[in-house]
PDB file of all heavy atoms in Angstrom:
ATOM      1  N   LYS Q 873      16.916 -24.657  95.390  1.00  0.00           N
ATOM      2  CA  LYS Q 873      17.203 -23.609  96.359  1.00  0.00           C
ATOM      3  C   LYS Q 873      18.621 -23.816  96.858  1.00  0.00           C
ATOM      4  O   LYS Q 873      19.022 -24.948  97.178  1.00  0.00           O
ATOM      5  CB  LYS Q 873      16.211 -23.670  97.530  1.00  0.00           C
ATOM      6  CG  LYS Q 873      16.448 -22.650  98.633  1.00  0.00           C
ATOM      7  CD  LYS Q 873      16.053 -21.256  98.200  1.00  0.00           C
ATOM      8  CE  LYS Q 873      16.150 -20.259  99.354  1.00  0.00           C
ATOM      9  NZ  LYS Q 873      15.843 -18.883  98.947  1.00  0.00           N
ATOM     10  N   LEU Q 874      19.385 -22.746  96.898  1.00  0.00           N
ATOM     11  CA  LEU Q 874      20.770 -22.833  97.349  1.00  0.00           C
ATOM     12  C   LEU Q 874      20.834 -23.407  98.760  1.00  0.00           C
ATOM     13  O   LEU Q 874      20.131 -22.950  99.658  1.00  0.00           O
ATOM     14  CB  LEU Q 874      21.423 -21.444  97.319  1.00  0.00           C
ATOM     15  CG  LEU Q 874      22.932 -21.398  97.559  1.00  0.00           C
ATOM     16  CD1 LEU Q 874      23.668 -22.125  96.434  1.00  0.00           C
ATOM     17  CD2 LEU Q 874      23.407 -19.943  97.641  1.00  0.00           C
ATOM     18  N   GLY Q 875      21.676 -24.425  98.946  1.00  0.00           N
ATOM     19  CA  GLY Q 875      21.803 -25.084 100.246  1.00  0.00           C
ATOM     20  C   GLY Q 875      20.854 -26.239 100.436  1.00  0.00           C
ATOM     21  O   GLY Q 875      20.823 -26.854 101.507  1.00  0.00           O
ATOM     22  N   TYR Q 876      20.049 -26.543  99.390  1.00  0.00           N
ATOM     23  CA  TYR Q 876      19.083 -27.643  99.456  1.00  0.00           C
ATOM     24  C   TYR Q 876      19.287 -28.581  98.266  1.00  0.00           C
ATOM     25  O   TYR Q 876      19.823 -28.183  97.231  1.00  0.00           O
ATOM     26  CB  TYR Q 876      17.646 -27.112  99.439  1.00  0.00           C
ATOM     27  CG  TYR Q 876      17.218 -26.465 100.730  1.00  0.00           C
ATOM     28  CD1 TYR Q 876      17.562 -25.147 101.010  1.00  0.00           C
ATOM     29  CD2 TYR Q 876      16.498 -27.175 101.677  1.00  0.00           C
ATOM     30  CE1 TYR Q 876      17.179 -24.543 102.197  1.00  0.00           C
ATOM     31  CE2 TYR Q 876      16.107 -26.581 102.868  1.00  0.00           C
ATOM     32  CZ  TYR Q 876      16.456 -25.265 103.124  1.00  0.00           C
ATOM     33  OH  TYR Q 876      16.077 -24.691 104.302  1.00  0.00           O
ATOM     34  N   ILE Q 877      18.844 -29.808  98.433  1.00  0.00           N
ATOM     35  CA  ILE Q 877      18.910 -30.792  97.357  1.00  0.00           C
ATOM     36  C   ILE Q 877      17.721 -30.576  96.426  1.00  0.00           C
ATOM     37  O   ILE Q 877      16.574 -30.505  96.873  1.00  0.00           O
ATOM     38  CB  ILE Q 877      18.882 -32.226  97.913  1.00  0.00           C
ATOM     39  CG1 ILE Q 877      20.057 -32.439  98.869  1.00  0.00           C
ATOM     40  CG2 ILE Q 877      18.926 -33.255  96.791  1.00  0.00           C
ATOM     41  CD1 ILE Q 877      19.956 -33.718  99.661  1.00  0.00           C
ATOM     42  N   SER Q 878      17.984 -30.468  95.145  1.00  0.00           N
ATOM     43  CA  SER Q 878      16.911 -30.253  94.171  1.00  0.00           C
ATOM     44  C   SER Q 878      15.965 -31.443  94.157  1.00  0.00           C
ATOM     45  O   SER Q 878      16.369 -32.594  94.368  1.00  0.00           O
ATOM     46  CB  SER Q 878      17.505 -30.040  92.773  1.00  0.00           C
ATOM     47  OG  SER Q 878      18.318 -28.890  92.744  1.00  0.00           O
ATOM     48  N   GLN Q 879      14.693 -31.151  93.907  1.00  0.00           N
ATOM     49  CA  GLN Q 879      13.682 -32.201  93.790  1.00  0.00           C
ATOM     50  C   GLN Q 879      13.025 -32.106  92.426  1.00  0.00           C
ATOM     51  O   GLN Q 879      12.637 -31.021  91.986  1.00  0.00           O
ATOM     52  CB  GLN Q 879      12.618 -32.081  94.881  1.00  0.00           C
ATOM     53  CG  GLN Q 879      11.565 -33.196  94.813  1.00  0.00           C
ATOM     54  CD  GLN Q 879      10.390 -32.943  95.728  1.00  0.00           C
ATOM     55  OE1 GLN Q 879      10.284 -31.900  96.355  1.00  0.00           O
ATOM     56  NE2 GLN Q 879       9.472 -33.895  95.794  1.00  0.00           N
ATOM     57  N   MET Q 880      12.896 -33.239  91.763  1.00  0.00           N
ATOM     58  CA  MET Q 880      12.257 -33.276  90.455  1.00  0.00           C
ATOM     59  C   MET Q 880      11.024 -34.166  90.510  1.00  0.00           C
ATOM     60  O   MET Q 880      11.071 -35.285  91.056  1.00  0.00           O
ATOM     61  CB  MET Q 880      13.215 -33.809  89.391  1.00  0.00           C
ATOM     62  CG  MET Q 880      12.638 -33.770  87.976  1.00  0.00           C
ATOM     63  SD  MET Q 880      13.728 -34.563  86.758  1.00  0.00           S
ATOM     64  CE  MET Q 880      13.492 -36.288  87.196  1.00  0.00           C
ATOM     65  N   VAL Q 881       9.913 -33.677  89.976  1.00  0.00           N
ATOM     66  CA  VAL Q 881       8.682 -34.461  89.886  1.00  0.00           C
ATOM     67  C   VAL Q 881       8.120 -34.307  88.481  1.00  0.00           C
ATOM     68  O   VAL Q 881       8.529 -33.431  87.711  1.00  0.00           O
ATOM     69  CB  VAL Q 881       7.633 -34.020  90.931  1.00  0.00           C
ATOM     70  CG1 VAL Q 881       8.144 -34.256  92.339  1.00  0.00           C
ATOM     71  CG2 VAL Q 881       7.267 -32.566  90.733  1.00  0.00           C
ATOM     72  N   PHE Q 882       7.163 -35.137  88.157  1.00  0.00           N
ATOM     73  CA  PHE Q 882       6.545 -35.149  86.829  1.00  0.00           C
ATOM     74  C   PHE Q 882       5.070 -34.812  86.984  1.00  0.00           C
ATOM     75  O   PHE Q 882       4.397 -35.307  87.895  1.00  0.00           O
ATOM     76  CB  PHE Q 882       6.712 -36.527  86.209  1.00  0.00           C
ATOM     77  CG  PHE Q 882       6.017 -36.695  84.892  1.00  0.00           C
ATOM     78  CD1 PHE Q 882       6.588 -36.222  83.717  1.00  0.00           C
ATOM     79  CD2 PHE Q 882       4.784 -37.333  84.817  1.00  0.00           C
ATOM     80  CE1 PHE Q 882       5.950 -36.382  82.508  1.00  0.00           C
ATOM     81  CE2 PHE Q 882       4.143 -37.498  83.612  1.00  0.00           C
ATOM     82  CZ  PHE Q 882       4.725 -37.024  82.447  1.00  0.00           C
ATOM     83  N   THR Q 883       4.558 -33.929  86.118  1.00  0.00           N
ATOM     84  CA  THR Q 883       3.129 -33.650  86.087  1.00  0.00           C
ATOM     85  C   THR Q 883       2.708 -33.469  84.641  1.00  0.00           C
ATOM     86  O   THR Q 883       3.548 -33.306  83.749  1.00  0.00           O
ATOM     87  CB  THR Q 883       2.772 -32.405  86.925  1.00  0.00           C
ATOM     88  OG1 THR Q 883       1.347 -32.334  87.083  1.00  0.00           O
ATOM     89  CG2 THR Q 883       3.263 -31.130  86.261  1.00  0.00           C
ATOM     90  N   THR Q 884       1.414 -33.469  84.403  1.00  0.00           N
ATOM     91  CA  THR Q 884       0.929 -33.413  83.017  1.00  0.00           C
ATOM     92  C   THR Q 884      -0.419 -32.729  82.937  1.00  0.00           C
ATOM     93  O   THR Q 884      -1.211 -32.749  83.891  1.00  0.00           O
ATOM     94  CB  THR Q 884       0.820 -34.826  82.427  1.00  0.00           C
ATOM     95  OG1 THR Q 884       0.415 -34.733  81.054  1.00  0.00           O
ATOM     96  CG2 THR Q 884      -0.186 -35.675  83.195  1.00  0.00           C
ATOM     97  N   SER Q 885      -0.682 -32.104  81.800  1.00  0.00           N
ATOM     98  CA  SER Q 885      -2.004 -31.547  81.508  1.00  0.00           C
ATOM     99  C   SER Q 885      -2.746 -32.415  80.501  1.00  0.00           C
ATOM    100  O   SER Q 885      -3.840 -32.046  80.064  1.00  0.00           O
ATOM    101  CB  SER Q 885      -1.862 -30.119  80.966  1.00  0.00           C
ATOM    102  OG  SER Q 885      -1.114 -30.112  79.758  1.00  0.00           O
ATOM    103  N   VAL Q 886      -2.149 -33.540  80.128  1.00  0.00           N
ATOM    104  CA  VAL Q 886      -2.754 -34.440  79.142  1.00  0.00           C
ATOM    105  C   VAL Q 886      -4.090 -34.953  79.668  1.00  0.00           C
ATOM    106  O   VAL Q 886      -4.194 -35.423  80.805  1.00  0.00           O
ATOM    107  CB  VAL Q 886      -1.812 -35.613  78.830  1.00  0.00           C
ATOM    108  CG1 VAL Q 886      -2.509 -36.629  77.922  1.00  0.00           C
ATOM    109  CG2 VAL Q 886      -0.532 -35.109  78.182  1.00  0.00           C
ATOM    110  N   GLY Q 887      -5.134 -34.827  78.843  1.00  0.00           N
ATOM    111  CA  GLY Q 887      -6.442 -35.362  79.190  1.00  0.00           C
ATOM    112  C   GLY Q 887      -7.318 -34.423  79.995  1.00  0.00           C
ATOM    113  O   GLY Q 887      -8.482 -34.739  80.257  1.00  0.00           O
ATOM    114  N   ILE Q 888      -6.818 -33.268  80.409  1.00  0.00           N
ATOM    115  CA  ILE Q 888      -7.609 -32.311  81.188  1.00  0.00           C
ATOM    116  C   ILE Q 888      -8.334 -31.378  80.225  1.00  0.00           C
ATOM    117  O   ILE Q 888      -7.711 -30.750  79.370  1.00  0.00           O
ATOM    118  CB  ILE Q 888      -6.716 -31.510  82.154  1.00  0.00           C
ATOM    119  CG1 ILE Q 888      -6.015 -32.459  83.135  1.00  0.00           C
ATOM    120  CG2 ILE Q 888      -7.534 -30.475  82.913  1.00  0.00           C
ATOM    121  CD1 ILE Q 888      -5.044 -31.760  84.061  1.00  0.00           C
ATOM    122  N   THR Q 889      -9.647 -31.250  80.365  1.00  0.00           N
ATOM    123  CA  THR Q 889     -10.446 -30.481  79.396  1.00  0.00           C
ATOM    124  C   THR Q 889     -11.332 -29.429  80.056  1.00  0.00           C
ATOM    125  O   THR Q 889     -12.222 -28.880  79.410  1.00  0.00           O
ATOM    126  CB  THR Q 889     -11.321 -31.431  78.561  1.00  0.00           C
ATOM    127  OG1 THR Q 889     -12.157 -32.198  79.444  1.00  0.00           O
ATOM    128  CG2 THR Q 889     -10.470 -32.361  77.717  1.00  0.00           C
ATOM    129  N   THR Q 890     -11.136 -29.131  81.353  1.00  0.00           N
ATOM    130  CA  THR Q 890     -11.907 -28.099  82.045  1.00  0.00           C
ATOM    131  C   THR Q 890     -10.957 -27.245  82.878  1.00  0.00           C
ATOM    132  O   THR Q 890      -9.789 -27.604  83.080  1.00  0.00           O
ATOM    133  CB  THR Q 890     -12.967 -28.720  82.979  1.00  0.00           C
ATOM    134  OG1 THR Q 890     -12.307 -29.553  83.948  1.00  0.00           O
ATOM    135  CG2 THR Q 890     -13.964 -29.553  82.198  1.00  0.00           C
ATOM    136  N   ASP Q 891     -11.465 -26.090  83.349  1.00  0.00           N
ATOM    137  CA  ASP Q 891     -10.660 -25.274  84.255  1.00  0.00           C
ATOM    138  C   ASP Q 891     -10.187 -26.140  85.421  1.00  0.00           C
ATOM    139  O   ASP Q 891     -11.006 -26.753  86.122  1.00  0.00           O
ATOM    140  CB  ASP Q 891     -11.487 -24.109  84.803  1.00  0.00           C
ATOM    141  CG  ASP Q 891     -11.573 -22.949  83.823  1.00  0.00           C
ATOM    142  OD1 ASP Q 891     -10.913 -23.015  82.778  1.00  0.00           O
ATOM    143  OD2 ASP Q 891     -12.290 -21.981  84.104  1.00  0.00           O
ATOM    144  N   SER Q 892      -8.889 -26.199  85.638  1.00  0.00           N
ATOM    145  CA  SER Q 892      -8.342 -27.095  86.652  1.00  0.00           C
ATOM    146  C   SER Q 892      -7.142 -26.463  87.337  1.00  0.00           C
ATOM    147  O   SER Q 892      -6.430 -25.643  86.751  1.00  0.00           O
ATOM    148  CB  SER Q 892      -7.911 -28.430  86.031  1.00  0.00           C
ATOM    149  OG  SER Q 892      -8.981 -29.042  85.343  1.00  0.00           O
ATOM    150  N   VAL Q 893      -6.923 -26.868  88.583  1.00  0.00           N
ATOM    151  CA  VAL Q 893      -5.734 -26.486  89.335  1.00  0.00           C
ATOM    152  C   VAL Q 893      -5.014 -27.757  89.758  1.00  0.00           C
ATOM    153  O   VAL Q 893      -5.600 -28.619  90.407  1.00  0.00           O
ATOM    154  CB  VAL Q 893      -6.085 -25.643  90.576  1.00  0.00           C
ATOM    155  CG1 VAL Q 893      -4.828 -25.366  91.405  1.00  0.00           C
ATOM    156  CG2 VAL Q 893      -6.750 -24.338  90.182  1.00  0.00           C
ATOM    157  N   ILE Q 894      -3.768 -27.892  89.339  1.00  0.00           N
ATOM    158  CA  ILE Q 894      -2.939 -29.018  89.759  1.00  0.00           C
ATOM    159  C   ILE Q 894      -2.096 -28.546  90.930  1.00  0.00           C
ATOM    160  O   ILE Q 894      -1.334 -27.587  90.811  1.00  0.00           O
ATOM    161  CB  ILE Q 894      -2.040 -29.510  88.611  1.00  0.00           C
ATOM    162  CG1 ILE Q 894      -2.892 -30.014  87.445  1.00  0.00           C
ATOM    163  CG2 ILE Q 894      -1.095 -30.599  89.099  1.00  0.00           C
ATOM    164  CD1 ILE Q 894      -2.088 -30.401  86.221  1.00  0.00           C
ATOM    165  N   ARG Q 895      -2.236 -29.198  92.069  1.00  0.00           N
ATOM    166  CA  ARG Q 895      -1.496 -28.820  93.270  1.00  0.00           C
ATOM    167  C   ARG Q 895      -0.211 -29.632  93.344  1.00  0.00           C
ATOM    168  O   ARG Q 895      -0.230 -30.860  93.243  1.00  0.00           O
ATOM    169  CB  ARG Q 895      -2.340 -29.083  94.518  1.00  0.00           C
ATOM    170  CG  ARG Q 895      -1.692 -28.620  95.812  1.00  0.00           C
ATOM    171  CD  ARG Q 895      -1.739 -27.118  95.941  1.00  0.00           C
ATOM    172  NE  ARG Q 895      -0.915 -26.647  97.051  1.00  0.00           N
ATOM    173  CZ  ARG Q 895      -0.797 -25.374  97.393  1.00  0.00           C
ATOM    174  NH1 ARG Q 895      -1.467 -24.454  96.707  1.00  0.00           N
ATOM    175  NH2 ARG Q 895      -0.034 -25.008  98.398  1.00  0.00           N
ATOM    176  N   LEU Q 896       0.906 -28.935  93.502  1.00  0.00           N
ATOM    177  CA  LEU Q 896       2.202 -29.614  93.512  1.00  0.00           C
ATOM    178  C   LEU Q 896       3.092 -28.953  94.559  1.00  0.00           C
ATOM    179  O   LEU Q 896       3.727 -27.938  94.300  1.00  0.00           O
ATOM    180  CB  LEU Q 896       2.854 -29.522  92.128  1.00  0.00           C
ATOM    181  CG  LEU Q 896       4.087 -30.385  91.883  1.00  0.00           C
ATOM    182  CD1 LEU Q 896       3.741 -31.856  92.011  1.00  0.00           C
ATOM    183  CD2 LEU Q 896       4.651 -30.100  90.499  1.00  0.00           C
ATOM    184  N   ASP Q 897       3.110 -29.510  95.755  1.00  0.00           N
ATOM    185  CA  ASP Q 897       3.960 -28.989  96.829  1.00  0.00           C
ATOM    186  C   ASP Q 897       5.313 -29.698  96.800  1.00  0.00           C
ATOM    187  O   ASP Q 897       5.375 -30.920  96.666  1.00  0.00           O
ATOM    188  CB  ASP Q 897       3.298 -29.184  98.190  1.00  0.00           C
ATOM    189  CG  ASP Q 897       2.043 -28.328  98.344  1.00  0.00           C
ATOM    190  OD1 ASP Q 897       2.001 -27.251  97.732  1.00  0.00           O
ATOM    191  OD2 ASP Q 897       1.111 -28.740  99.062  1.00  0.00           O
ATOM    192  N   MET Q 898       6.371 -28.925  96.905  1.00  0.00           N
ATOM    193  CA  MET Q 898       7.731 -29.446  96.811  1.00  0.00           C
ATOM    194  C   MET Q 898       8.420 -29.279  98.157  1.00  0.00           C
ATOM    195  O   MET Q 898       8.482 -28.166  98.705  1.00  0.00           O
ATOM    196  CB  MET Q 898       8.504 -28.686  95.733  1.00  0.00           C
ATOM    197  CG  MET Q 898       7.790 -28.572  94.389  1.00  0.00           C
ATOM    198  SD  MET Q 898       7.789 -30.103  93.459  1.00  0.00           S
ATOM    199  CE  MET Q 898       9.394 -30.012  92.670  1.00  0.00           C
ATOM    200  N   LYS Q 899       8.946 -30.377  98.698  1.00  0.00           N
ATOM    201  CA  LYS Q 899       9.645 -30.366  99.987  1.00  0.00           C
ATOM    202  C   LYS Q 899      11.118 -30.676  99.739  1.00  0.00           C
ATOM    203  O   LYS Q 899      11.461 -31.759  99.268  1.00  0.00           O
ATOM    204  CB  LYS Q 899       9.027 -31.385 100.941  1.00  0.00           C
ATOM    205  CG  LYS Q 899       7.553 -31.125 101.260  1.00  0.00           C
ATOM    206  CD  LYS Q 899       6.999 -32.195 102.179  1.00  0.00           C
ATOM    207  CE  LYS Q 899       5.549 -31.912 102.547  1.00  0.00           C
ATOM    208  NZ  LYS Q 899       4.656 -31.924 101.394  1.00  0.00           N
ATOM    209  N   LEU Q 900      11.972 -29.717 100.049  1.00  0.00           N
ATOM    210  CA  LEU Q 900      13.404 -29.856  99.783  1.00  0.00           C
ATOM    211  C   LEU Q 900      14.164 -30.164 101.063  1.00  0.00           C
ATOM    212  O   LEU Q 900      13.900 -29.576 102.125  1.00  0.00           O
ATOM    213  CB  LEU Q 900      13.959 -28.576  99.152  1.00  0.00           C
ATOM    214  CG  LEU Q 900      13.283 -28.079  97.875  1.00  0.00           C
ATOM    215  CD1 LEU Q 900      14.062 -26.900  97.303  1.00  0.00           C
ATOM    216  CD2 LEU Q 900      13.155 -29.184  96.843  1.00  0.00           C
TER     217      LEU Q 900
END
Side-chain angles (χ1 to χ4, degrees):
K873 178 73 174 177
L874 189 64
Y876 286 82
I877 301 169
S878 298
Q879 182 190 5
M880 185 186 73
V881 297
F882 175 81
T883 192
T884 183
S885 61
V886 174
I888 300 176
T889 57
T890 59
D891 279 355
S892 304
V893 175
I894 298 175
R895 184 74 190 181
L896 191 62
D897 293 330
M898 310 286 276
K899 299 178 178 63
L900 304 187

